[in-house]
Amino acid sequence: MPKPPKRKCCESTPRCKRCPLRMLKEGTLPAEYTVKKRRLAMADGSPLPKKDKKKKGKKKKKKARAEKKAAKASAALVS
């Protein structure tokens, strides 16, 4: 299955393979989508489904680092 169209046209020349304008012109844009003002839109007017954002593990690293720092400080106080 080919990749879905981009949400916004990047306006580059030549157009990329996933450009919504190019897909609309070629007829490869899925029927449930249309293009309005260089942006991908649903044909029935409903909003586009939101992207799933991948969460990064930065919070866990910060928490682990803080715990190590606290353990070192308490060890320094004890000895």
Side-chain angles (χ1 to χ4, degrees), residues 2-40:
K3 282 191 164 186
K6 288 183 176 180
R7 291 180 173 256
K8 178 182 172 187
C9 173
C10 57
E11 300 180 20
S12 66
T13 303
R15 302 254 184 254
C16 63
K17 301 279 185 200
R18 293 179 52 213
C19 179
L21 290 175
R22 179 180 183 161
M23 292 179 81
L24 181 67
K25 184 178 179 182
E26 292 175 348
T28 57
L29 190 68
E32 64 267 11
Y33 296 112
T34 187
V35 180
K36 293 182 181 178
K37 297 182 181 178
R38 293 186 176 266
R39 293 185 183 267
L40 192 65

Side-chain angles (χ1 to χ4, degrees), residues 30-76:
E32 64 267 11
Y33 296 112
T34 187
V35 180
K36 293 182 181 178
K37 297 182 181 178
R38 293 186 176 266
R39 293 185 183 267
L40 192 65
M42 297 297 284
D44 59 1
S46 63
L48 285 173
K50 295 198 176 196
K51 288 183 177 179
D52 293 335
K53 292 186 178 181
K54 293 182 181 177
K55 293 184 179 182
K56 295 182 180 179
K58 288 186 178 181
K59 288 185 180 179
K60 288 182 182 178
K61 288 181 183 177
K62 284 184 179 180
K63 188 176 181 181
R65 197 175 300 145
E67 287 174 356
K68 283 182 183 178
K69 193 174 183 180
K72 264 188 182 178
S74 65

